[in-house]
Amino acid sequence: MIAPPAGQILAKIAIADCPPVLITGGAGYIGSHAALALLDLGVRVIILDDMSTGSALLLPPDALFVQGRAGNGRLVRQLIADHGIGAVMHFAASISVAESVAQPAIYYRNNLVETLALAEAAVDAGVKALVFSSTAAVYAENDGRPLKESDPIGPINPYGASKAMAETMLRDIAAASPQAMSLGILRYFNVAGADPQGRSGQNSKHPHHLIEIATQVVTGQRPQITVFGNDYPTDDGTGVRDYVHVSDVASAHVEMLRACLAASGQSHLFNLGYGHGQSVLDVLAAVAQASNGRPVPYKIGSRRAGDPANLVADARAAGALGWQPAHDDINRIVAHALAWEQRRQQLLASVD
């Protein structure tokens, strides 16, 4: 998984030649946006989600939805055969750092064992490409500089460890697959925002993302937000993160899929981020601005186990995908997230 020379764009199939795609976790936040990106381009999408954390609100109406586990090998093989699926995007995973520290077994089961079963089924059924949703949490802590794909792996929480193990496992499985299955791994930093058209966004049963919770505060659903630590070695003492718009993440998945399908047996690994970060207090200020100056009440809490001080991407290598982010602006990210939260409340109210 060596990045191509600077300035070189990977070969990619035409989107019109893309086969039907199975998206696991497609009723979730990032998976639903990837589904929308493919559907907007005319690609047939089959969503597989067990709905343990997914939401019917996020299911694109033009996708075929099947309820079930990504690790149900028999079901996956049947879906691939029935629908002529040629590629898989795998988003079905547990993603909370704090929960992973408290309940690591869940993370190794969902993020590793289920992924193994999915990969085995995909290889058995002759799938040509698998795109894997990974994370910056696989990296070791450093001095705060932007992280490159070549930087040391050294996760500091079970969530990151489960993803790092899954990456290694998938590389080995893809390399040994009889049909020379291609593998794409995308390590994203802090995904945020919502579909600019208001079709999807975050709808967590137990929210833990900063921007999601902050929008719930300014819309009156919560009294305040907790800032976990203000004694980090950053400008204002709060953690700094590289917030990347979910629609940009989705478009990168489309480009990775096209590259993986262009040549059999290829493996690609890229970071997804903007290369600069905002602190927790920066984000709260942006949310206040988006809500016409309404402040976001907060209290300072203790640091959470497994949280690094800085997490910022060096994502220049992803230029090889021809990926061109369209939403690199924290105010735009927050505005889209807030608009979705307001719409989400309306949708939920109409169901009651």
Side-chain angles (χ1 to χ4, degrees):
M1 287 195 172
I2 299 175
Q8 179 178 325
I9 303 296
L10 293 169
K12 295 182 288 186
I13 66 163
I15 197 65
D17 296 328
C18 188
V21 178
L22 176 66
I23 298 184
T24 68
Y29 175 45
I30 304 175
S32 65
H33 284 83
L36 287 169
L38 287 170
L39 290 164
D40 287 347
L41 295 169
V43 178
R44 189 174 177 219
V45 171
I46 297 88
I47 288 175
L48 177 62
D49 198 304
D50 67 3
M51 303 305 282
S52 59
T53 58
S55 169
L57 284 182
L58 308 187
L59 283 170
D62 294 332
L64 172 66
F65 169 62
V66 177
Q67 186 165 352
R69 291 178 18 250
N72 183 337
R74 178 180 297 179
L75 175 58
V76 170
R77 290 179 183 89
Q78 191 64 53
L79 289 174
I80 292 169
D82 288 350
H83 301 286
I85 291 166
V88 175
M89 287 185 176
H90 183 35
F91 296 95
S94 299
I95 61 171
S96 167
V97 169
E99 184 184 53
S100 80
V101 174
Q103 301 184 71
I106 292 174
Y107 280 70
Y108 291 113
R109 183 181 306 111
N110 289 353
N111 297 356
L112 194 61
V113 178
E114 293 277 300
T115 298
L116 171 60
L118 173 69
E120 287 181 311
V123 169
D124 290 348
V127 164
K128 300 299 183 184
L130 191 154
V131 178
F132 179 60
S133 167
S134 194
T135 172
V138 302
Y139 290 112
E141 285 195 277
N142 67 2
D143 56 6
R145 59 183 169 73
L147 289 158
K148 298 180 179 179
E149 292 85 350
S150 58
D151 280 334
I153 299 300
I156 62 173
N157 53 64
Y159 166 57
S162 68
K163 286 289 193 173
M165 291 177 186
E167 285 188 12
T168 299
M169 178 182 70
L170 290 173
R171 280 194 289 265
D172 291 341
I173 291 171
S177 61
Q179 76 273 29
M181 182 175 72
S182 295
L183 173 66
I185 296 174
L186 291 169
R187 293 175 179 161
Y188 7 110
F189 283 60
N190 279 57
V191 185
D195 174 51
Q197 298 179 47
R199 297 172 294 177
S200 187
Q202 290 183 302
N203 187 40
S204 307
K205 294 178 181 177
H206 304 288
H208 61 274
H209 290 91
L210 171 65
I211 292 175
E212 182 180 18
I213 295 173
T215 61
Q216 291 179 2
V217 171
V218 296
T219 54
Q221 298 173 81
R222 296 168 178 264
Q224 64 180 2
I225 188 170
T226 300
V227 175
F228 294 104
N230 65 345
D231 57 350
Y232 285 105
T234 61
D235 288 346
D236 63 19
T238 64
V240 171
R241 299 292 182 268
D242 190 338
Y243 293 93
V244 56
H245 196 290
V246 64
S247 293
D248 283 338
V249 171
S251 70
H253 279 80
V254 174
E255 300 309 318
M256 176 67 93
L257 177 68
R258 294 175 60 201
C260 286
L261 287 167
S264 62
Q266 298 296 308
S267 292
H268 307 294
L269 166 66
F270 297 112
N271 287 337
L272 292 182
Y274 295 145
H276 54 84
Q278 284 83 30
S279 73
V280 174
L281 296 186
D282 290 336
V283 170
L284 297 186
V287 173
Q289 179 177 323
S291 59
N292 298 317
R294 180 177 180 178
V296 185
Y298 67 87
K299 65 177 181 179
I300 301 297
S302 301
R303 293 189 188 188
R304 293 181 299 190
D307 273 355
N310 289 275
L311 203 57
V312 176
D314 181 334
R316 289 175 293 178
L321 292 172
W323 180 54
Q324 297 181 330
H327 305 288
D328 180 4
D329 183 297
I330 190 61
N331 292 311
R332 181 181 301 175
I333 290 170
V334 165
H336 289 163
L338 180 58
W340 162 255
E341 180 56 34
Q342 293 165 337
R343 172 166 167 72
R344 186 185 76 92
Q345 291 181 40
Q346 294 171 351
L347 290 170
L348 292 173
S350 68
V351 172
D352 293 340

